[in-house]
Structures are given as C-alpha cells and as structure tokens.
Amino acid sequence: MTSKAKKPSMPEANNEAPIMVRAQYIRDLSFENPNPLVIFSSETSTQPEIQVGIQAKAQNLGDRNFELVLDFNIEAKREKDTMFIVELSYAAVVTISNGFPEDKMNHAVMVDAAQLIFPFARNIIADMTRDGGYPPLMLAPVDFAGLFLQQSQQSAEATHPAVH
C-alpha cells in the first residue's frame, strides 16, 4: 500500500484581468494637408518641426466601466509652411475588475488602460501620415504616469488655487 503525497494547496488565483478593454474606436479623426503643392514641390532639406499634444480623459460609465479617450493634436511645419495637421480622439471602454482597489482605479484607467490602447492610436497616426504622402509618423511611447500626475496637479490647482 502506497500513500500518495498530497500536493500543497495553492491559494485560488483570480484569473480575471484587473483591466478589460471591452471596445476600442475612433471618436474623431482629421487629417489636413493644407499646402501639398508647396511642400511636395519645394527643394529643401530642412527637417520639419513636429509638435505633439496628448491629453487623456475618462468618463465613469458606472458599474466599474469607463470610457477612456486619448486626444492627439499634431502639427508638422517646415519653416513657415504647415505640412500637415492630425487630430485624433481614440477611445476605449474599459472595465476594472471587482477585486481591484477603489483608490487605484483612477490610475488603472488613466495610466494602465492608456498604455494598452496607445499602440493602436499610434498605428492610426502612422497610417494617416503615410497615406497623406509623408513618411509614417511613429510617435514615441508616452509616459502616461507622468501625464496623469501633471493633469492631477493641474486639476488640484484649479480646484484649490494657491493663495499668495
């Protein structure tokens, strides 16, 4: 008679991901190519100046569901001529799992979920600039934690202005 050793019991793991992306979609999209004849016919080797603005915002839909929107505003200029303007609002509906701490939900939506959907928005921007006749614009990764901190500080200052 042999006795079987019992395997040590492991605590039951929650297999539910803390953040679930339910849907991703374009809310608004615009590509402007205001001076193609000037830009494409000029003989300049001047590198364009590209300004990128990114803002993240979220709306609580209830029941731990949120709509996260990443707004991109990009303008490329060469000398005084505007090459192109890109505006993209890329959104996702995300759900935060029930076991996730309430005090960390803002960070999960504004940072973690934003990092999940950013590559899709970046791909749309690259395709759009390429289809507009330019080399694809590949945005560098975004520090959403820093952006979240900056937006939180601006919001706090707007709510409670410093007294001098």
Side-chain angles (χ1 to χ4, degrees):
M1 181 168 178
T2 61
S3 67
K4 289 187 177 179
K6 254 187 160 179
K7 288 184 181 176
S9 63
M10 299 291 282
E12 188 96 5
N14 182 358
N15 291 333
E16 186 178 346
I19 301 170
M20 177 169 294
V21 178
R22 301 254 180 226
Q24 295 183 70
Y25 46 93
I26 296 171
R27 285 194 115 224
D28 191 24
L29 177 64
S30 173
F31 181 85
E32 295 177 40
N33 200 356
N35 299 308
L37 299 177
V38 171
I39 298 300
F40 295 134
S41 64
S42 67
E43 296 290 328
T44 182
S45 61
T46 304
Q47 289 296 312
E49 179 182 317
I50 300 174
Q51 295 179 338
V52 179
I54 300 173
Q55 183 179 22
K57 56 189 175 191
Q59 176 182 345
N60 190 338
L61 303 175
D63 200 27
R64 300 178 81 86
N65 293 299
F66 299 85
E67 181 188 47
L68 169 65
V69 180
L70 301 181
D71 288 322
F72 297 85
N73 293 298
I74 302 165
E75 185 172 6
K77 288 186 174 189
R78 186 174 337 171
E79 296 167 355
K80 65 182 184 337
D81 297 314
T82 298
M83 296 172 67
F84 62 82
I85 300 169
V86 173
E87 294 175 350
L88 171 63
S89 289
Y90 191 73
V93 173
V94 297
T95 301
I96 306 298
S97 70
N98 284 328
F100 200 81
E102 197 79 27
D103 62 332
K104 303 232 186 287
M105 284 198 337
N106 251 359
H107 188 275
V109 172
M110 300 298 289
V111 178
D112 301 330
Q115 289 173 336
L116 289 173
I117 70 169
F118 173 76
F120 298 96
R122 179 174 64 179
N123 190 55
I124 292 167
I125 292 167
D127 287 349
M128 198 171 12
T129 54
R130 184 200 62 230
D131 292 346
Y134 301 94
L137 177 62
M138 292 301 294
L139 296 178
V142 175
D143 176 13
F144 286 104
L147 184 61
F148 175 67
L149 183 63
Q150 177 187 1
Q151 287 178 335
S152 296
Q153 288 172 344
Q154 288 172 348
S155 177
E157 288 171 5
T159 308
H160 308 320
V163 178
H164 295 287

